[in-house]
Amino acid sequence: MRRRLPQSPDSVPLVTINLGMEEKSTALAPTRRVLLLEDRSDYRNVLREYLISCSYQVTSVPSGIEGLRETMKARFDVIICDMMMPKMGGEMFYWPVTRVRPAARESFIFFTGHKNNPAIEFFFKRVKARVLFKPFKLAALDSAIQEIFLKVG
């Protein structure tokens, strides 16, 4: 954005300053919706605040049961899901969601602290899952989210 300063009395502009600000279009891109499932409130809150700071609209829940309710209400662009949660873990959550919303298969990012669990590993291979192993860097989460957006548009 360019701004001109007032003209001098003899009608000659004094200075032109380039403020380095681009004018934004009035049509804003739609906000991407993220569903975050994590039973530990401290971890869930940190991830939620980070995702909000990245301009995502975030719904965070402590279990697969609440997550299932949310997926019945609305579609999410990204589903970030812990594998080990009480009552309904990541795998048990995945199957009904993808049965009702088949396109959601491409939207999942799973995370777990159980890297060498054969049952979890089998599930990840079976569904060709995007997986982050705790502890992970937020840059790894960003990359996984961007991979989803590139794949599904």
Side-chain angles (χ1 to χ4, degrees):
M1 178 168 122
R2 298 183 140 247
R3 183 178 292 180
R4 290 186 165 236
L5 293 179
Q7 295 183 343
S8 66
D10 39 329
S11 296
V12 176
L14 296 174
V15 180
T16 300
I17 300 173
N18 185 351
L19 298 176
M21 297 174 8
E22 300 297 321
E23 293 191 30
K24 296 184 179 191
S25 76
T26 54
L28 298 174
T31 302
R32 304 280 188 147
R33 295 181 46 111
V34 175
L35 177 61
L36 172 63
L37 296 92
E38 165 60 66
D39 59 310
R40 285 188 45 193
S41 61
D42 57 343
Y43 204 74
R44 185 175 65 249
N45 290 335
V46 167
L47 288 174
R48 181 181 176 279
E49 291 303 316
Y50 174 72
L51 292 164
I52 289 170
S53 77
C54 295
S55 299
Y56 297 115
Q57 182 181 341
V58 181
T59 301
S60 63
V61 296
S63 79
I65 293 169
E66 287 90 349
L68 198 53
R69 286 185 192 123
E70 293 299 326
T71 59
M72 295 303 114
K73 293 182 206 173
R75 189 186 72 76
F76 291 89
D77 299 297
V78 177
I79 300 171
I80 303 169
C81 183
D82 187 15
M83 283 300 292
M84 304 299 281
M85 295 179 288
K87 298 179 185 170
M88 180 184 279
E91 181 176 359
M92 287 179 63
F93 169 73
Y94 176 86
W95 296 117
V97 169
T98 56
R99 188 166 297 123
V100 173
R101 297 189 184 275
R105 286 184 185 101
E106 298 299 326
S107 302
F108 272 85
I109 300 169
F110 292 98
F111 61 94
T112 186
H114 301 270
K115 193 170 189 171
N116 296 316
N117 181 315
I120 291 174
E121 288 295 316
F122 177 77
F123 168 72
F124 288 157
K125 287 177 185 168
R126 182 175 177 192
V127 301
K128 299 178 181 132
R130 283 178 198 82
V131 182
L132 300 174
F133 291 99
K134 292 180 186 176
F136 58 85
K137 295 185 183 222
L138 294 174
L141 178 60
D142 289 336
S143 293
I145 291 170
Q146 291 309 311
E147 182 182 312
I148 289 171
F149 294 156
L150 288 172
K151 194 165 189 174
V152 298

